[in-house]
Amino acid sequence: MRKIVFLDVDGTLINYEAKLPASAAKAVDQARANGHKVYICTGCSKAEIEQRNLCELDGMIGGNGAYVEDNGKVVMHQGLSREDVKHIVDWCNERHLGFYLEANSGMYCNDYMLEQGPETMVKYAQGKGADLSKAKESAYQFINSFIHLQGEDLYRDDVNKISFILSSYQDHLDSKKEFPELVANTWGGKGEMALYGDLGPTGITKKHAIEVLLDYLGESRENTISFGDAKIDLSMFELCAYNVAMGNGGPEIKEAADYITDDVDNDGLYKAFQYLKLI
């Protein structure tokens, strides 16, 4: 029976240096050749995904559920209002926090992101296992992908969500009070360490986006499999019939999984595809 497979990206399909393991690409290619559908389900927006060297896929869910695409056709797109973006931009700038706006057209950052971003992204990569030289290389590539804007140019109406650097965990707690009408998450370091906060529209989750896509495809949740490595992936696990945690994942995602595979860099995706007889 054909399966619909949903893959988180960072730490699942690719490693934390944004490299796609050859075995992962092979697994996806073979699964699709066998008639299964494979989608990525990620916090990244389309502009960031287009900078990654990924394998062929059937579509994507981006922005933690703000954007749904099937074979190049937009199924759903629900982002932040210009008023919400202005509020978040001003709040972050007042607190001197680096941030970037995640839009399908590009990733747009403020002055503080250029200052704070490299060190934070080195922490991110090192926390996920990269050595210092590789961490610096991936941090440079990430920061270099931003479009730098200032002033009112940052007040955009095409933003899926906004990620901002946490000077401390209190910034995340304060963001929940400042923006009660939005969804506030954290992401970043080893396990569930928080290096970034992010803010997105209410009602937008990976779970909801999968529901929208399944309805569009006329498919049942009984045929779904999801793969993830972090707490943000738990909403996928709530919906999908079978759920796989990566060996490099945090404790919460592992506790919720039906199966735990190997690390992303140790052919974890390929081994799980074999175990599930997708290939």
Side-chain angles (χ1 to χ4, degrees):
M1 182 176 293
R2 182 176 73 171
K3 299 296 184 182
I4 314 295
V5 182
F6 297 96
L7 306 176
D8 174 55
V9 176
D10 294 284
T12 302
L13 177 61
I14 63 176
N15 65 20
Y16 300 111
E17 298 164 34
K19 305 297 183 185
L20 174 68
S23 64
K26 183 178 179 181
V28 172
D29 289 345
Q30 289 184 353
R32 295 181 71 234
N34 288 341
H36 305 294
K37 285 183 172 288
V38 182
Y39 296 84
I40 53 172
C41 192
T42 174
C44 301
S45 293
K46 188 171 183 178
E48 187 173 353
I49 289 300
E50 288 178 339
Q51 296 172 10
R52 308 287 181 83
N53 184 25
L54 301 184
C55 48
E56 290 293 321
L57 297 151
D58 290 289
M60 70 170 289
I61 291 169
N64 282 334
Y67 179 76
V68 181
E69 180 181 294
D70 174 61
N71 287 306
K73 181 178 179 180
V74 179
V75 177
M76 182 190 77
H77 190 191
Q78 182 178 337
L80 294 165
S81 70
R82 189 178 188 276
E83 291 73 24
D84 285 333
V85 172
K86 181 181 184 300
H87 188 182
I88 299 167
V89 165
D90 291 345
W91 182 81
C92 287
N93 278 332
E94 287 169 6
R95 298 171 79 101
H96 297 231
L97 300 176
F99 66 80
Y100 62 98
L101 315 179
E102 302 181 41
N104 290 343
S105 58
M107 296 187 293
Y108 306 94
C109 77
N110 67 342
D111 295 343
Y112 297 119
M113 188 67 196
L114 296 180
E115 299 169 11
Q116 303 163 7
E119 180 182 356
T120 305
M121 290 311 298
V122 167
K123 288 180 181 177
Y124 170 78
Q126 284 189 299
K128 299 295 190 178
D131 62 34
L132 182 59
S133 63
K134 288 184 177 179
K136 287 182 176 179
E137 179 185 352
S138 62
Y140 171 79
Q141 290 174 347
F142 186 65
I143 300 302
N144 197 44
S145 68
F146 292 142
I147 300 166
H148 178 216
L149 297 179
Q150 295 177 308
E152 294 187 3
D153 288 340
L154 285 161
Y155 301 159
R156 300 181 62 89
D157 61 4
D158 63 345
V159 178
N160 297 327
K161 67 184 180 75
I162 298 176
S163 286
F164 58 94
I165 293 173
L166 299 173
S167 63
S168 73
Y169 194 75
Q170 189 62 44
D171 290 324
H172 166 61
L173 299 178
D174 290 347
S175 76
K176 295 177 73 172
K177 292 181 181 178
E178 183 73 16
F179 306 98
E181 74 283 5
L182 301 179
V183 175
N185 293 304
T186 63
W187 62 275
K190 187 174 183 180
E192 298 299 343
M193 182 191 300
L195 294 175
Y196 285 89
D198 68 38
L199 291 160
T202 300
I204 293 301
T205 63
K206 292 186 175 186
K207 175 184 177 180
H208 172 67
I210 292 173
E211 289 174 331
V212 169
L213 180 58
L214 291 178
D215 183 62
Y216 171 78
L217 295 173
E219 295 283 356
S220 168
R221 65 174 296 275
E222 280 72 29
N223 298 325
T224 57
I225 303 172
S226 74
F227 288 72
D229 75 311
K231 192 160 51 177
I232 194 67
D233 300 316
L234 288 173
S235 70
M236 284 199 298
F237 281 26
E238 290 175 15
L239 178 72
C240 292
Y242 196 89
N243 303 290
V244 179
M246 303 302 291
N248 45 273
E252 289 176 277
I253 199 73
K254 288 180 176 178
E255 288 172 8
D258 298 296
Y259 178 71
I260 301 172
T261 188
D262 214 328
D263 289 8
V264 61
D265 278 319
N266 198 28
D267 303 329
L269 202 68
Y270 188 87
K271 291 173 181 176
F273 272 42
Q274 283 187 314
Y275 174 80
L276 294 170
K277 296 181 171 55
L278 297 171
I279 57 177

